[in-house]
Amino acid sequence: MSCWEIRIEGIVQGVGFRPHVYQLAHKMDLKGTVSNGAEGVHIQFEASPQQAETFYQEILAEKPAISRITHHRLQPLSPQFFEDFQIIESEAAAVKKLPFTPDYGLCSDCRSEMKDVNDRRFAYPFITCTQCGPRYSIITDLPYDRPWTTMQPFEMCPTCQAEYDDPMARRHFSQTNSCAECGITLKLLERGNRVVEGNNPTIKAAILKAWEDGKIIAIKGIGGFLLTCDASNPHAIAVLRQRKQRPSKPFALMYPSVEKLDTFSLDDLQKERLQGPVSPIVLLPRDPNFYLTKGIADGLSEVGVMLPYAPLFEWLLDTYQKPIVATSGNISHSPIIYREEEMGMLWEVADCILTHNRAIVVPQDDSVVRISPTHRQQIILRRSRGWAPNYFPSQMAFPQEAIFAAGAHMKSSIGLLHEGNVYISQYLGSLSHFDTEKTFSHVRKHLKKVLGSQPEIILHDLHPQYASTRLAQALAEERNLPSVGIPHHEAHFAAILGENELLHTEDPVLGIIWDGTGYGTDGQVWGGEFLTWRNRKMTRVAHLDYFPVLGGDKMAREPRMAALSILPEASAIHQKFTSSEWKLLQAWRKRSPLQTSSMGRLFDAVASVLDIVDVQSFEGEAAMKLESIARTYWSGEEELLSYDYRNEKGNICPRIILQEVLGDKKRGNTASKIAAQFHFTLIQIISQIAMDQHTQQLAFSGGVFQNALLVDMCHSYLGKRYRLFFHQQLSPNDENIAFGQMIHYLVQQEKI
């Protein structure tokens, strides 16, 4: 009998892979071992060549549903002696080479068990198994075994231990295994840190009554605290907004079940996203006849919805049977609170705090996606719980070089290249805030420690004042490492090229890289860029004509200022300012040395001219509302006209576009039609530049392409003539910058 070894890499730890191998080995009467290792799952066994191949193929074909295999191999092994087949201790190693298992939403089996009065885990709010539950948020080290998670302090009771040890049980080697006898315990606090005494039923009753009474409750979830209140109570929502300092940014809702979403027209893709293992927030179109409580998503055509992804939320909402507002537990712009020692800050917002004694190692917000209504293109708006921190190329091989990429300033995320694997962290937030800088450093150190990674080079944005640049350069100086600055929009372009594996294409690619701001190689503020990829070289071939930056960051918060910058002589814009503001801004405009080509600011200007938003209360508000209004006019069939956009030099002129918009408004056209035609004009601009550059491949990146209407129009009007490439695993916004920095550097070094 020959000996063999199977090595399997990917998301294969914490997903029931070892029990799967064990059960199959016993079915085939094989002897050997299976263990977790630094690279994945290692299997050694005795078999004939035919048996070995059959075993190998069966392992791959019947793999656990939530596993993801990236590499695998069967190879001969020197002779070994095995008495039977066993799961053995994991192999420890200083350097690990495997993806993290992300946090998974509650599976259907566990959901059924916790609702079954005859099941021993009935109403246990921390039920898990090998197919669901926290992973990345509780890992302190790898390989993934209980001693290296925050489940380590919870000693299993005899019944749980028997399940854990039983190769035929559903929870065999389930590292998060626990029950009400030996597991995690809840604690409910009222203002003043007064503990509400009682068992779980008492705590649940108190929570449900508090919701009914309009109270705000902070609840410790998988990746941090969520702030919750009854979604039908406008007073509670208004209080939550006031305390959280979030005047109008939309809130997400958590519904008890998919059946309760009967006011939405869900398709199979939306249902799959809501009920799948990632369980993100999904933006769903609102029925115009459906009443949504004031203060949830005013002025928008979509509302963010999720289902109870953690058993704690399932436990509560299965009884409450009404939707709740569920938003990150923080004060606006600060990172999500996740540590018990920081919990006191929640009293600024919450009336009650529901916490528990399982620690969270790294914070994570809920992921957010939307599906474009017409062409069903998935757009990731926030990449976090359920996806982070992994990235999976389909074909491209990455070198062994160790790289740390610091990413961008807004929509921060960091990247690591380690042992040929790419890691892109969860969304971290805006580095304008010191607390986010602390989270940035904590997540970086955690990834470095767990993986045993020692970066050889550090990458950052070119902007000298970005916090990510400063933090990266300080780290490089501390470690005596080289650091390299990567142009912002070239990083965006590299990210979309890398994700779609276009780096080696023989045909040119036109990159449409549109966002709000990014430091350009000429020292100006870019944002409406067209770049080409030819012969492995990037070239800026076109952009929006520059217009002055007024008031620095203030311009991004006030769309009226963008309108003024582009079209200062228009009386309709003049009226949006006081006389003193007007004089000051005109003086700024004349002496402003800084210019911008920002497409994001052009969206703002159009929204202001159409009297949709003059001053934003949250980032992207003007663009979101402009898109919502345009969608009410265009559903895919309506005839649209393009506005003029080229000046006498043939450049793309925002001034001409805004004049056309203002003229249409004066002629009495509706804001919805004008907004739709503005979007259509952008499509015509893309088409013209593509023709000018003689390219048939178009790649889209930058925060503007979070706009589902624009994405749908790209498919409708460009899809038949061009090959279109959008982000699949990453967000189009600045969360992809870290990945793009790594791709850009590796291309320049000719390493990919």
Side-chain angles (χ1 to χ4, degrees):
M1 191 74 72
S2 303
C3 284
W4 307 86
E5 179 180 62
I6 298 173
R7 291 195 171 235
I8 302 176
E9 299 177 22
I11 297 180
V12 292
Q13 296 189 8
V15 295
F17 216 100
R18 289 176 295 175
H20 158 61
V21 172
Y22 179 96
Q23 291 168 20
L24 184 58
H26 274 261
K27 179 181 173 183
M28 296 181 64
D29 197 26
L30 299 177
K31 296 178 181 179
T33 63
V34 59
S35 65
N36 282 341
E39 297 180 353
V41 168
H42 300 168
I43 307 158
Q44 297 183 349
F45 62 103
E46 296 175 343
S48 68
Q50 183 177 353
Q51 282 179 312
E53 184 63 29
T54 300
F55 184 45
Y56 179 44
Q57 295 303 328
E58 284 288 316
I59 289 171
L60 301 178
E62 302 297 326
K63 67 182 180 69
I66 59 173
S67 65
R68 179 165 182 164
I69 296 173
T70 57
H71 300 91
H72 54 85
R73 65 183 183 273
L74 169 67
Q75 60 193 20
L77 187 68
S78 58
Q80 307 277 332
F81 174 74
F82 303 105
E83 292 185 352
D84 54 13
F85 200 94
Q86 298 179 352
I87 298 176
I88 62 172
E89 288 292 320
S90 299
E91 303 168 19
V95 177
K96 290 83 171 180
K97 181 189 175 183
L98 72 167
F100 286 80
T101 303
D103 298 312
Y104 289 121
L106 183 66
C107 72
S108 58
D109 287 337
C110 284
R111 182 175 278 109
S112 296
E113 287 177 354
M114 74 180 297
K115 294 182 181 182
D116 182 354
V117 294
N118 297 313
D119 192 280
R120 75 185 196 88
R121 288 188 177 82
F122 170 68
Y124 177 53
F126 299 96
I127 188 171
T128 65
C129 69
T130 58
Q131 297 302 294
C132 69
R135 301 289 192 273
Y136 173 55
S137 63
I138 63 170
I139 291 171
T140 59
D141 208 341
L142 289 171
Y144 176 72
D145 277 320
R146 194 177 183 110
W148 296 291
T149 73
T150 58
M151 288 300 297
Q152 187 273 334
F154 301 94
E155 183 177 350
M156 285 182 278
C157 66
T159 309
C160 283
Q161 187 69 54
E163 287 177 325
Y164 183 88
D165 293 336
D166 182 358
M168 299 302 139
R170 198 166 71 82
R171 291 184 172 85
H172 182 41
F173 264 67
S174 173
Q175 305 305 325
T176 52
N177 197 31
S178 67
C179 71
E181 294 298 318
C182 61
I184 301 133
T185 57
L186 289 169
K187 182 167 67 174
L188 179 61
L189 303 171
E190 292 181 340
R191 282 190 176 273
N193 286 328
R194 187 179 73 83
V195 178
V196 177
E197 300 293 344
N199 55 18
N200 281 3
T202 304
I203 288 173
K204 178 195 268 191
I207 294 290
L208 302 187
K209 185 177 187 304
W211 277 337
E212 287 285 3
D213 292 345
K215 299 291 181 62
I216 297 161
I217 305 166
I219 302 176
K220 186 177 179 180
I222 298 294
F225 284 88
L226 292 184
L227 293 166
T228 68
C229 69
D230 188 315
S232 64
N233 189 324
H235 175 71
I237 293 167
V239 171
L240 176 57
R241 287 203 174 280
Q242 184 269 325
R243 292 181 184 173
K244 190 175 161 68
Q245 301 171 28
R246 183 168 170 164
S248 58
K249 187 176 181 179
F251 282 139
L253 302 180
M254 184 182 287
Y255 274 73
S257 65
V258 72
E259 289 76 23
K260 288 290 183 179
L261 290 168
D262 53 1
T263 52
F264 297 92
S265 297
L266 296 178
D267 63 20
D268 290 342
L269 181 57
Q270 290 165 331
K271 287 181 181 178
E272 189 280 325
R273 292 296 182 270
L274 285 165
Q275 297 177 296
V278 174
S279 301
I281 297 168
V282 179
L283 268 59
L284 299 178
R286 291 168 55 180
D287 184 327
N289 299 316
F290 166 52
Y291 172 73
L292 190 65
T293 309
K294 179 176 172 56
I296 291 175
D298 298 346
L300 299 173
S301 58
E302 293 179 318
V303 59
V305 168
M306 59 180 153
L307 298 178
Y309 56 85
L312 176 56
F313 295 122
E314 177 73 27
W315 177 67
L316 293 167
L317 289 180
D318 189 50
T319 303
Y320 198 59
Q321 284 299 303
K322 292 196 296 183
I324 58 170
V325 169
T327 185
S328 298
N330 61 356
I331 306 298
S332 263
H333 307 301
S334 300
I336 189 170
I337 293 168
Y338 69 103
R339 290 189 176 104
E340 294 288 310
E341 55 266 34
E342 298 171 340
M343 196 170 64
M345 292 187 287
L346 291 167
W347 291 122
E348 296 181 37
V349 185
D351 298 301
C352 307
I353 297 175
L354 180 61
T355 186
H356 57 76
N357 60 339
R358 182 183 65 209
I360 297 170
V361 178
V362 287
Q364 292 188 93
D365 288 276
D366 297 312
S367 293
V368 185
V369 302
R370 69 190 306 199
I371 311 295
S372 70
T374 307
H375 291 278
R376 320 310 294 150
Q377 174 77 50
Q378 175 176 284
I379 305 167
I380 297 176
L381 304 181
R382 186 166 70 199
R383 183 181 178 276
S384 200
R385 176 187 52 77
W387 278 312
N390 302 315
Y391 173 80
F392 296 100
S394 58
Q395 300 293 331
M396 185 164 49
F398 284 87
Q400 296 297 305
E401 185 168 4
I403 296 174
F404 170 69
H409 183 83
M410 302 289 290
K411 301 287 192 301
S412 170
S413 72
I414 60 176
L416 282 178
L417 177 61
H418 170 74
E419 297 292 321
N421 287 336
V422 173
Y423 303 87
I424 306 296
S425 80
Q426 66 272 35
Y427 160 85
L428 301 175
S430 168
L431 291 173
S432 297
H433 304 276
F434 176 67
D435 287 342
T436 310
E437 285 194 25
K438 289 197 299 182
T439 301
F440 175 102
S441 296
H442 171 67
V443 171
R444 179 189 65 79
K445 290 174 183 176
H446 178 67
L447 290 172
K448 174 183 176 295
K449 168 186 172 290
V450 171
L451 294 169
S453 174
Q454 298 292 339
E456 301 162 18
I457 190 161
I458 293 175
L459 309 178
H460 56 79
D461 196 276
L462 272 186
H463 199 305
Q465 296 178 356
Y466 270 8
S468 57
T469 301
R470 172 172 48 79
L471 291 167
Q473 290 175 334
L475 181 64
E477 185 175 346
E478 175 191 326
R479 301 290 175 83
N480 194 27
L481 294 172
S483 66
V484 177
I486 308 294
H488 185 91
H489 294 90
E490 291 187 13
H492 267 306
F493 194 19
I496 189 68
L497 291 171
E499 188 172 354
N500 287 279
E501 301 191 356
L502 293 168
L503 297 172
H504 299 285
T505 182
E506 294 182 0
D507 299 321
V509 182
L510 177 66
I512 300 93
I513 315 299
W514 291 351
D515 61 8
T517 182
Y519 191 80
T521 54
D522 60 358
Q524 303 297 354
V525 180
W526 290 13
E529 311 308 311
F530 293 89
L531 307 175
T532 56
W533 177 249
R534 280 188 174 91
N535 302 318
R536 292 178 61 83
K537 181 181 178 182
M538 288 183 189
T539 306
R540 188 192 195 199
V541 294
H543 58 86
L544 282 185
D545 260 4
Y546 285 129
F547 50 95
V549 174
L550 300 183
D553 292 342
K554 185 177 175 68
M555 185 169 167
R557 297 191 295 271
E558 299 190 17
R560 61 180 186 155
M561 293 180 67
L564 169 66
S565 175
I566 295 169
L567 204 60
E569 72 279 8
S571 60
I573 297 171
H574 191 162
Q575 294 167 8
K576 296 176 182 290
F577 299 89
T578 65
S579 58
S580 58
E581 286 176 331
W582 181 258
K583 290 177 183 177
L584 176 62
L585 289 168
Q586 288 289 43
W588 272 354
R589 189 179 188 281
K590 289 176 182 177
R591 67 171 184 262
S592 174
L594 200 58
Q595 303 284 304
T596 184
S597 59
S598 170
M599 182 61 74
R601 299 294 78 80
L602 178 56
F603 267 81
D604 289 349
V606 172
S608 177
V609 165
L610 294 180
D611 300 320
I612 296 169
V613 176
D614 282 330
V615 178
Q616 299 188 115
S617 66
F618 63 90
E619 183 194 2
E621 179 181 8
M624 289 168 64
K625 291 185 174 178
L626 187 67
E627 177 193 349
S628 291
I629 288 172
R631 179 64 78 173
T632 64
Y633 184 84
W634 187 87
S635 60
E637 303 297 329
E638 291 74 16
E639 193 72 27
L640 296 173
L641 297 175
S642 172
Y643 293 129
D644 289 339
Y645 59 85
R646 282 197 151 165
N647 60 18
E648 65 279 0
K649 297 180 180 179
N651 297 339
I652 307 163
C653 182
R655 177 185 177 84
I656 291 174
I657 295 171
L658 211 56
Q659 285 174 331
E660 293 270 294
V661 167
L662 188 56
D664 240 3
K665 180 186 175 188
K666 289 177 179 177
R667 287 188 288 272
N669 281 314
T670 64
S672 60
K673 181 178 181 180
I674 297 170
Q677 296 200 153
F678 166 69
H679 281 76
F680 181 69
T681 300
L682 301 183
I683 300 298
Q684 298 309 302
I685 293 172
I686 294 169
S687 180
Q688 183 60 58
I689 300 298
M691 286 190 288
D692 293 347
Q693 294 300 317
H694 307 289
T695 179
Q696 297 298 309
Q697 299 188 103
L698 310 181
F700 304 88
S701 190
V704 168
F705 290 102
Q706 296 175 128
N707 182 320
L709 173 61
L710 190 62
V711 168
D712 271 340
M713 284 188 169
C714 286
H715 281 290
S716 290
Y717 299 116
L718 302 173
K720 292 180 181 178
R721 289 180 289 159
Y722 302 97
R723 293 181 64 203
L724 310 183
F725 298 94
F726 294 93
H727 288 287
Q728 306 296 323
Q729 295 187 54
L730 304 174
S731 172
N733 68 35
D734 279 5
E735 290 173 57
N736 72 53
I737 288 292
F739 178 69
Q741 288 169 346
M742 289 189 285
I743 295 291
H744 191 285
Y745 171 78
L746 292 170
V747 166
Q748 294 299 313
Q749 299 297 310
E750 298 185 350
K751 294 182 178 180
I752 53 174

